[in-house]
Amino acid sequence: CTFGCPANKTAPNGVCVCDRGFSVVGSTRNCTQCLAGTYNAVAGSSTCAQCPSYTSSADISTALLDCKCLQGYTASQDGIACNACLAGTFKNASGTGPCLTCPESPIITSSELGSTKCHCARGWYGTGWSGDSRFVECWPCLGGLYTATIGSAECSVCPSYTTSLAQSDELIDCKCIKGYTAASDGMLCVACAEGTYKRMEGTATCTACPSLSTSEKSSQELTDCECIAGYTNPNVLLSSLTCGGN
């Protein structure tokens, strides 16, 4: 009977004690509610018990069975420690439901344990797939962009004067554009100096223009090399440059 007891107290043996879902606060004997992730199944108990691993409960929980698996975790029943969903699976609801398999697709993945959704693969970006939609919301990174992380919400921009193919998934996929060079892929590239050119992407060195010719910075082709003042090129073919005096 709870007659005559203050709020949140009960009197199972004729003495007012804290009700289930509450615990005693120090010498004041006041009652405080058990917080989420804890419970108290015994009236008059001085402490709230912690839920098992990877479970949680609502405020003022009164039983071990109120402790339910977190999203991304599962178990055969409520009130016991839960196990993480395996890689390639996910679970977006709490409780004892099963882990669901991610769609078989090169653009979607779930590489980590305890996933709550299927994430976009590296080289793709978006919100992924959580089983609530018919559509996988992943889009490929365009040229000049990349994502090296699973589940990226957006693509990263390659360093200055570099570019990449669509769906690039590493920083080193960003390669120097023509007319620029660097010590390695994935770095900011610098322009080929005057008098040099570079006709391919990547880390190749800049090639010097033929004797008695020069070019502007960041030149891309041999044809960008022109004879310096006072010299001419007698060759008809643009792919050949030999400068001589007038």
Side-chain angles (χ1 to χ4, degrees):
C1 176
T2 59
F3 179 79
C5 288
N8 306 325
K9 288 192 175 186
T10 186
N13 298 311
V15 178
C16 293
V17 295
C18 291
D19 209 346
R20 297 194 313 152
F22 292 82
S23 63
V24 179
V25 181
S27 60
T28 65
R29 312 306 294 174
N30 292 329
C31 302
T32 186
Q33 67 183 35
C34 294
L35 301 178
T38 68
Y39 69 96
N40 185 3
V42 180
S45 177
S46 61
T47 58
C48 300
Q50 290 290 328
C51 283
S53 299
Y54 305 111
T55 68
S56 190
S57 63
D59 292 339
I60 319 180
S61 288
T62 60
L64 175 60
L65 291 178
D66 292 333
C67 299
K68 302 181 185 299
C69 292
L70 301 172
Q71 294 184 17
Y73 293 79
T74 191
S76 60
Q77 64 185 56
D78 294 328
I80 64 174
C82 300
N83 297 312
C85 292
L86 299 178
T89 67
F90 75 102
K91 179 169 166 282
N92 62 352
S94 59
T96 57
C99 300
L100 304 177
T101 302
C102 290
E104 292 186 7
S105 168
I107 69 173
I108 201 79
T109 187
S110 173
S111 65
E112 70 238 10
L113 298 176
S115 288
T116 60
K117 65 189 295 185
C118 299
H119 301 289
C120 299
R122 299 193 316 163
W124 298 72
Y125 74 100
T127 56
W129 188 75
S130 60
D132 300 326
S133 170
R134 292 176 52 197
F135 303 103
V136 174
E137 296 183 348
C138 296
W139 298 271
C141 292
L142 302 178
L145 305 172
Y146 72 97
T147 54
T149 305
I150 291 171
S152 293
E154 60 185 12
C155 301
S156 299
V157 179
C158 285
S160 298
Y161 307 112
T162 68
T163 191
S164 64
L165 298 176
Q167 301 175 31
S168 289
D169 59 9
E170 291 186 271
L171 174 60
I172 59 172
D173 291 333
C174 300
K175 302 180 185 300
C176 293
I177 61 175
K178 295 178 180 180
Y180 288 78
T181 190
S184 61
D185 293 328
M187 296 177 57
L188 183 149
C189 300
V190 295
C192 291
E194 293 181 359
T196 66
Y197 65 96
K198 178 169 164 281
R199 60 189 308 175
M200 64 184 68
E201 295 179 352
T203 57
T205 57
C206 303
T207 302
C209 287
S211 177
L212 304 178
S213 69
T214 191
S215 64
E216 295 182 353
K217 289 178 62 176
S218 68
S219 290
Q220 300 179 7
E221 300 289 341
L222 173 61
T223 53
D224 294 329
C225 298
E226 298 179 345
C227 294
I228 60 177
Y231 294 85
T232 59
N233 176 28
N235 294 303
V236 177
L237 298 176
L238 293 177
S239 61
S240 177
L241 178 65
T242 304
C243 299
N246 295 326

